[in-house]
Amino acid sequence: MAKKKEKHKRQPMLARVKKAHQNQSGTETGGYAFRLVSAFFCDFFYYFLHTLKWCLFIGLILTAVVSVVLFARYGEAYRSFAQEADELVEASKAEDFRMDEITYIYDADGGQLAELSSGNGRSSYLRYAQIPKDAVNAFIAVEDRSYWKNIGIDIKGILRVVTDFITSKGDSLAGASTITQQLSRTIYLTRERSIERKIKEMMIAIRLTRKYSKEEIVEFYVNTACFSNGIYGVEAAAKAFFGKSASELTLSQTAYLCAIPNRPEYFNPYKHPKRALERRDKILSDMRSEGYITKSAYEKAIQETIKIQKQSPEFYNYETTYAVYCAVEYLMKLHGFDFRYEFTDDADYKSYQESYEAAYNLEKTNLYAKGYSIQTSLKTDVQQAMQQALDNNLAFATQTNPQNNVYELQGAVTVVDNETGKVVAVVGGRSQEDLDDVYSLNRAYQSYRQPGSSIKPLAVYAPALMYGYTPDSVVRDIDVQQAQQPGVDISGLWGASMSLRSAVEQSKNGVAYSILNEIKPTYGLSFLTSMKFDRIVPTDYTLSAALGGLTYGVTTVQMAGAYSTLANHGEYRDPACLVSVKDSDGQELYEEEKPAAVYAPQASSEMIDILKGVLTVGTAKSLGWSSESAVPAAGKTGTTDDSKDGWFCGVTPYYTVAVWIGCDDPKPVDNLYGSSYPASVWKDAMLYLTEGMPPVDLN
């Protein structure tokens, strides 16, 4: 019968060293002390690993390594971070955690344009005892299961995040944010993704936990959580989406609401009502596994149908919607958003648009809730006059869209003060007093349309003047259709000879096409991206851009800013309307952006001089500007194929005005040319703007 194999039992290294020493001749060996010490450490690590387990040992080693790495890189900043956190939390008070302050927007004369509110109201703030228990448990189950025990941060979660951060070489830095950390980020920090912000976030969270009770912190969190659409707090969300108080919500409705703050815009109930259902189900499952709800309650809640009530309109007027847009973009810039105007491919462009939309909606939510004071350059009297100019010239077109009763023939007007570079009026469409949502679309900055020939001075001719052309350069009006045939050598094509000046005045497509072929689309369109035309994509870098053939198009705000650049000797200033942005404490946040040199001064002056001829002998001669005003003016017409879009963009020494006319759903419009309705609107607008102004030189 075979002997049963004995299980190997490890003999301690220390014992083996001693035994080996005893078996020697009795004389002391020089290496015995060293071997004894080494054996001791071997045994220590062996028993440490087997007693405390590998995971704890690895965790301690990882913690030590991470601590050394972080201290080496951020040790100097630690003290300043800690001091900042101490000061913030020490000075904090319960009022800091109320997201129900009103933002005011003022015009250039100090008159109030609008009062923006998140809709919360003071009555929407819930004390801890008033918050539904299901809401508290839902947030804790899905966001921070260790909430009631942790010190404001979750050590295990942080180790996981740090490991991901190191293994991804800095690309991954997300997760493990406790409820207290999220509160810290919402109230005190920006949304940048950096290790510095994460450290500050944790420091503040720890100190908040020392100062406030757990009940107070979760109260603050529930009332400051963003539920999209400028809505903060579960009470305001309950009223907005379900039309009742949070205390009246079902378990399923509560879980649905608690799903939204994770990604407010992605889970926006008004835009994507079904998206939050999957996360609702996860929250209910987590609540069940944590023992917050019973199996029967879970099964009932998960089967419940969620119905969101209709959104209340938030529209004001065209000047206010534009002011909100400018303020939101400025807050995005202030909080680190990286605006881009060039893209590698379509996927890159779409990815950027998604990140832009997410950041925009987040900052818009904050604008409505954090009590800013916004001073603008918008002038109410000018706004009214521009609106009247558009309405009067399109009064003949009374046909409406059967789906929304909005006039089919529409328009947009943007006015820039050349001295300041600021927008002073922005008209986003025709007036219709009988419609509540007429201001829901501000075409001046939201409608991107094909610019036709109005783009030529910006992307072809002014760049050509910098490239070596002069107003008197002889150019040829080639056959564009022939030039577009495969394999044709465009540079070898012939056409009628004329000066560059004449080609601009008569808006010759063949000349613009051939010149862009020579200077190259990448060069010509680079001037547009330098002036923040934000929808120039890789597919636009073709010769069709010479004729205004762009994938998405441009807006009147962009065109007014660009033509004003020509009038200002090539210096570009962002065509926004902000003068001052103050926070709820009255601290000034706004800093004027420095002008950027886009075109050479000489090229700009030559371009303006050429464009004067458009109004005297060119495509806008019939406008008769010089017969009604002594103020010099320059401009350019633009008409797209089948007269779907009409443009007139023009300048005087004082103002730049860009006008677009067309239908929201592009379709041919009878008698629509750049020299017809758009030029007429421009003329009425500019006559009002320059009335009584001396006829100073435009150059």
Side-chain angles (χ1 to χ4, degrees):
M1 187 174 178
K3 256 188 179 181
K4 186 176 180 181
K5 188 176 180 180
E6 284 189 8
K7 185 177 179 181
H8 175 71
K9 186 174 181 181
R10 178 184 182 277
Q11 186 179 21
M13 179 68 73
L14 190 62
R16 282 183 280 161
V17 170
K18 288 181 177 179
K19 184 176 181 181
H21 180 67
Q22 292 171 355
N23 291 336
Q24 291 180 358
S25 59
T27 60
E28 291 288 330
T29 59
Y32 174 67
F34 173 79
R35 293 199 307 275
L36 201 62
V37 172
S38 299
F40 171 81
F41 278 103
C42 286
D43 285 339
F44 171 82
F45 280 110
Y46 177 85
Y47 288 114
F48 181 91
L49 293 179
H50 281 262
T51 304
L52 299 181
K53 305 301 180 184
W54 279 97
C55 59
L56 180 58
F57 175 70
I58 294 173
L60 290 170
I61 294 298
L62 182 60
T63 301
V65 171
V66 170
S67 298
V68 171
V69 171
L70 290 179
F71 185 80
R73 184 171 180 180
Y74 301 105
E76 294 182 4
Y78 177 85
R79 182 173 296 178
S80 64
F81 288 176
Q83 183 177 355
E84 181 182 352
D86 285 337
E87 292 173 353
L88 282 173
V89 176
E90 184 178 351
S92 71
K93 52 188 181 301
E95 285 295 309
D96 294 346
F97 306 98
R98 301 193 72 122
M99 306 294 280
D100 49 16
E101 297 182 80
I102 297 173
T103 289
Y104 295 96
I105 298 180
Y106 303 95
D107 65 17
D109 298 320
Q112 184 176 308
L113 285 177
E115 179 182 296
L116 307 181
S117 171
S118 64
N120 292 16
R122 293 280 169 175
S123 61
S124 291
Y125 189 93
L126 300 180
R127 295 297 181 185
Y128 179 76
Q130 300 172 306
I131 301 171
K133 197 66 177 177
D134 284 337
V136 174
N137 292 338
F139 278 125
I140 290 175
V142 76
E143 298 288 353
D144 186 3
R145 295 187 179 186
S146 67
Y147 174 75
W148 295 110
K149 298 179 180 179
N150 66 44
I151 60 171
I153 61 175
D154 179 7
I155 302 297
K156 292 181 180 178
I158 291 171
L159 288 175
R160 185 183 70 252
V161 170
V162 171
T163 302
D164 292 342
F165 179 74
I166 294 173
T167 56
S168 67
K169 298 181 179 179
D171 290 337
S172 175
L173 186 64
S177 288
T178 63
I179 282 175
T180 318
Q181 284 177 251
Q182 294 177 49
L183 179 67
S184 304
R185 183 167 64 244
T186 298
I187 301 300
Y188 298 113
L189 302 172
T190 67
R191 283 147 293 280
E192 63 172 328
R193 295 170 66 87
S194 68
I195 191 69
E196 290 92 342
R197 195 223 69 199
K198 201 72 176 176
I199 292 173
K200 290 180 181 179
E201 180 184 294
M202 291 188 290
M203 287 181 169
I204 294 172
I206 291 171
R207 287 157 176 79
L208 285 175
T209 305
R210 293 174 186 164
K211 180 169 183 175
Y212 299 101
S213 69
K214 286 291 186 177
E215 288 77 11
E216 286 176 311
I217 290 174
V218 79
E219 173 187 316
F220 299 153
Y221 177 80
V222 169
N223 283 286
T224 58
C226 176
F227 291 83
S228 77
N229 300 287
I231 300 169
Y232 283 95
V234 71
E235 178 71 1
K239 291 177 179 177
F241 300 130
F242 295 113
K244 52 188 175 181
S245 175
S247 62
E248 301 173 310
L249 296 177
T250 65
L251 171 61
S252 183
Q253 290 172 331
T254 299
Y256 182 91
L257 289 186
C258 293
I260 301 170
N262 180 258
R263 293 174 63 186
E265 190 55 29
Y266 180 82
F267 293 125
N268 187 334
Y270 292 140
K271 296 180 180 179
H272 315 290
K274 295 182 179 180
R275 285 183 177 176
L277 290 175
E278 184 177 347
R279 185 165 175 80
R280 176 206 65 174
D281 295 347
K282 171 179 169 46
I283 291 174
L284 291 170
S285 177
D286 288 349
M287 292 178 73
R288 179 187 173 190
S289 66
E290 290 296 296
Y292 291 131
I293 59 175
T294 64
K295 180 181 178 181
S296 60
Y298 165 80
E299 292 175 346
K300 179 181 178 182
I302 210 165
Q303 294 297 323
E304 183 177 323
T305 300
I306 297 295
K307 186 177 181 180
I308 302 299
Q309 72 172 8
K310 188 177 179 180
Q311 181 180 14
S312 300
E314 62 162 344
F315 313 118
Y316 301 93
N317 48 51
Y318 293 128
E319 57 267 42
T320 300
T321 56
Y322 181 63
V324 167
Y325 163 76
C326 291
V328 170
E329 282 213 329
Y330 188 76
L331 292 178
M332 291 168 66
K333 174 185 175 182
L334 201 64
H335 294 149
F337 184 80
D338 182 21
F339 289 91
R340 294 176 55 198
Y341 307 98
E342 295 181 5
F343 309 96
T344 56
D345 51 34
D346 190 56
D348 182 35
Y349 169 77
K350 289 180 178 178
S351 174
Y352 170 78
Q353 288 299 323
E354 290 177 1
S355 62
Y356 172 92
E357 183 180 3
Y360 184 92
N361 285 304
L362 177 60
E363 293 300 350
K364 184 179 179 182
T365 296
N366 290 330
L367 177 68
Y368 274 61
K370 293 192 175 181
Y372 293 98
S373 178
I374 313 293
Q375 182 78 37
T376 74
S377 56
L378 299 168
K379 299 182 178 180
T380 303
D381 56 339
V382 176
Q383 181 73 27
Q384 293 172 349
M386 298 304 103
Q387 185 71 64
Q388 187 174 4
L390 180 65
D391 291 344
N392 289 348
N393 280 279
L394 299 185
F396 68 91
T398 59
Q399 186 172 347
T400 59
N401 187 318
Q403 295 182 344
N404 55 18
N405 292 322
V406 172
Y407 287 133
E408 283 198 337
L409 186 60
Q410 282 293 340
V413 183
T414 298
V415 182
V416 171
D417 183 332
N418 291 336
E419 183 178 358
T420 64
K422 300 289 186 182
V423 172
V424 295
V426 57
V427 178
R430 297 169 64 183
S431 298
Q432 281 185 266
E433 300 299 333
D434 56 331
L435 291 182
D436 294 333
D437 61 348
V438 69
Y439 302 113
S440 61
L441 175 63
N442 190 327
R443 297 165 185 82
Y445 75 92
Q446 291 178 313
S447 291
Y448 288 75
R449 303 300 293 247
Q450 301 302 307
S453 295
S454 64
I455 205 69
K456 292 175 183 176
L458 307 174
V460 180
Y461 291 119
L465 292 171
M466 294 180 63
Y467 196 80
Y469 282 81
T470 71
D472 298 322
S473 293
V474 177
V475 293
R476 295 188 180 278
D477 185 23
I478 65 172
D479 186 330
V480 174
Q481 289 186 343
Q482 183 182 359
Q484 291 175 335
Q485 298 300 314
V488 172
D489 180 10
I490 297 175
S491 61
L493 295 178
W494 288 83
S497 298
M498 62 190 70
S499 68
L500 185 145
R501 180 186 296 275
S502 179
V504 176
E505 293 170 346
Q506 303 304 320
S507 197
K508 296 297 183 179
N509 287 342
V511 174
Y513 201 87
S514 62
I515 289 180
L516 189 62
N517 177 64
E518 182 178 350
I519 68 175
K520 305 306 178 190
T522 51
Y523 180 67
L525 294 184
S526 69
F527 292 89
L528 299 185
T529 56
S530 295
M531 295 184 290
K532 300 185 179 181
F533 281 65
D534 61 346
R535 296 200 179 182
I536 303 300
V537 294
T539 52
D540 290 330
Y541 291 87
T542 67
L543 297 182
S544 294
L547 312 181
L550 302 174
T551 304
Y552 296 102
V554 300
T555 68
T556 60
V557 169
Q558 292 173 341
M559 294 296 277
Y563 272 79
S564 181
T565 299
L566 292 176
N568 280 304
H569 309 290
E571 275 200 348
Y572 171 80
R573 284 170 288 186
D574 187 21
C577 67
L578 300 182
V579 174
S580 170
V581 178
K582 293 181 179 179
D583 63 19
S584 58
D585 294 324
Q587 180 180 355
E588 182 61 66
L589 305 177
Y590 184 73
E591 184 177 344
E592 194 69 54
E593 188 174 298
K594 294 181 179 179
V598 175
Y599 300 105
Q602 182 177 346
S604 299
S605 296
E606 290 176 341
M607 191 71 252
I608 290 293
D609 187 60
I610 293 171
L611 292 175
K612 289 179 181 178
V614 173
L615 279 79
T616 56
V617 298
T619 55
K621 178 182 177 180
S622 61
L623 195 60
W625 172 262
S626 59
S627 65
E628 296 194 42
S629 176
V631 176
K636 184 70 184 74
T637 56
T639 310
T640 62
D641 291 345
D642 301 321
S643 293
K644 294 179 180 178
D645 300 274
W647 289 80
F648 194 90
C649 303
V651 305
T652 63
Y654 306 103
Y655 294 99
T656 296
V657 177
V659 179
W660 164 82
I661 303 294
C663 297
D664 290 333
D665 296 322
K667 65 180 182 178
V669 178
D670 291 341
N671 300 314
L672 176 58
Y673 308 97
S675 59
S676 61
Y677 314 131
S680 296
V681 174
W682 180 89
K683 177 182 176 181
D684 289 351
M686 196 63 85
L687 284 173
Y688 172 87
L689 291 164
T690 59
E691 184 178 5
M693 298 284 194
V696 298
D697 188 7
L698 184 55
N699 289 329

